Amino acid sequence: QQQVKQSPQSLIVQKGGISIINCAYENTAFDYFPWYQQFPGKGPALLIAIRPDVSEKKEGRFTISFNKSAKQFSLHIMDSQPGDSATYFCAASTGSNYKLTFGKGTLLTVNP
Amino acid sequence: GAVVSQHPSWVICKSGTSVKIECRSLDFQATTMFWYRQFPKQSLMLMATSNEGSKATYEQGVEKDKFLINHASLTLSTLTVTSAHPEDSSFYICSADAGTGSNEQYFGPGTRLTVT
């Protein structure tokens, strides 16, 4: 049972465009929703994270939108750059054990 | 801050041998560390949760006798792949709980294991 569903699997965006990646979860006990960026051969790096008590969080060009009633959250990358080309993973965890459940990932390609 | 290192970054070993991978939190103490494996173009799969001074908790389907985890100190956890086989070839990644009660985890750079 996949607890965090991520889409799309791959995404191609032109430089300067907006990249949008969506995730949906099933477990209502999740209370922490991070996004990670991973380059080939490297470990994931935390980009931005949100908790259910806010609907949006912005850090630079990265924004998380969170819809608690729909059990969905999304990552928006504004003014996408070729250097943003990477695999992005959404994840979720609970405060009880901190174990992260990952989505399957989205391969983002930003064309120059 | 919050840097996690892994050693080695890549290793090649022969089938039947054992390999140890180290995970260190460099500038913070990590009560809890996590071990993941990742196959090419796939997501991260949690293998086990490691708590300092106690036995690791393994996820369903992960052989605890094959993947030995030791969390001997607040800054070091090790994963030993015993009697490695080609199907154990994968990217192994550790993460450490920041210990701030914030759920944040910081990931190491990963270790590429190739078993020939």
Side-chain angles (χ1 to χ4, degrees):
Chain A
Q1 180 186 8
Q2 183 187 357
Q3 295 193 48
V4 180
K5 294 184 179 180
Q6 183 172 346
S7 63
Q9 189 174 2
S10 63
L11 179 63
I12 300 175
V13 175
Q14 292 299 118
K15 178 182 176 181
I18 303 173
S19 304
I20 302 175
I21 305 170
N22 301 297
C23 282
Y25 63 96
E26 300 166 6
N27 186 352
T28 55
F30 287 146
D31 59 5
Y32 176 70
F33 302 89
W35 284 90
Y36 288 89
Q37 178 190 58
Q38 186 179 32
F39 292 104
K42 305 294 184 183
L46 177 64
L47 265 180
I48 186 172
I50 199 168
R51 295 193 180 275
D53 53 345
V54 298
S55 60
E56 185 174 284
K57 183 176 181 180
K58 183 176 181 179
E59 290 184 2
R61 296 185 294 111
F62 302 95
T63 300
I64 297 180
S65 296
F66 185 82
N67 186 328
K68 186 175 181 178
S69 60
K71 294 188 286 186
Q72 296 175 347
F73 58 110
S74 60
L75 175 69
H76 292 62
I77 305 175
M78 311 299 288
D79 187 26
S80 299
Q81 299 297 312
D84 296 331
S85 297
T87 300
Y88 292 81
F89 292 96
C90 64
S93 70
T94 70
S96 61
N97 60 25
Y98 296 176
K99 291 198 297 185
L100 287 169
T101 299
F102 282 87
K104 290 193 173 183
T106 296
L107 177 61
L108 172 65
T109 302
V110 181
N111 288 328
Chain B
V3 177
V4 177
S5 70
Q6 282 185 239
H7 178 80
S9 56
W10 59 271
V11 58
I12 301 173
C13 71
K14 292 189 175 182
S15 186
T17 62
S18 296
V19 174
K20 180 184 286 187
I21 302 170
E22 292 185 349
C23 175
R24 293 182 184 272
S25 57
L26 298 186
D27 50 3
F28 66 101
Q29 294 184 330
T31 306
T32 304
M33 289 183 171
F34 303 87
W35 286 95
Y36 298 82
R37 66 187 299 182
Q38 184 179 34
F39 292 107
K41 299 187 186 301
Q42 293 190 22
S43 189
L44 286 79
M45 184 190 78
L46 179 65
M47 300 175 65
T49 302
S50 165
N51 289 293
E52 186 265 339
S54 61
K55 290 184 177 181
T57 302
Y58 291 82
E59 295 300 302
Q60 189 174 8
V62 177
E63 300 175 60
K64 61 181 181 180
D65 294 330
K66 181 169 187 59
F67 299 100
L68 301 179
I69 292 173
N70 184 27
H71 195 156
S73 75
L74 287 172
T75 59
L76 174 65
S77 177
T78 60
L79 168 68
T80 301
V81 183
T82 63
S83 186
H85 289 92
E87 57 266 29
D88 298 324
S89 298
S90 188
F91 194 49
Y92 291 88
I93 311 170
C94 71
S95 72
D97 170 28
T100 60
S102 65
N103 296 61
E104 287 187 15
Q105 288 184 31
Y106 297 95
F107 282 80
T111 296
R112 173 75 58 195
L113 170 64
T114 301
V115 184
T116 61

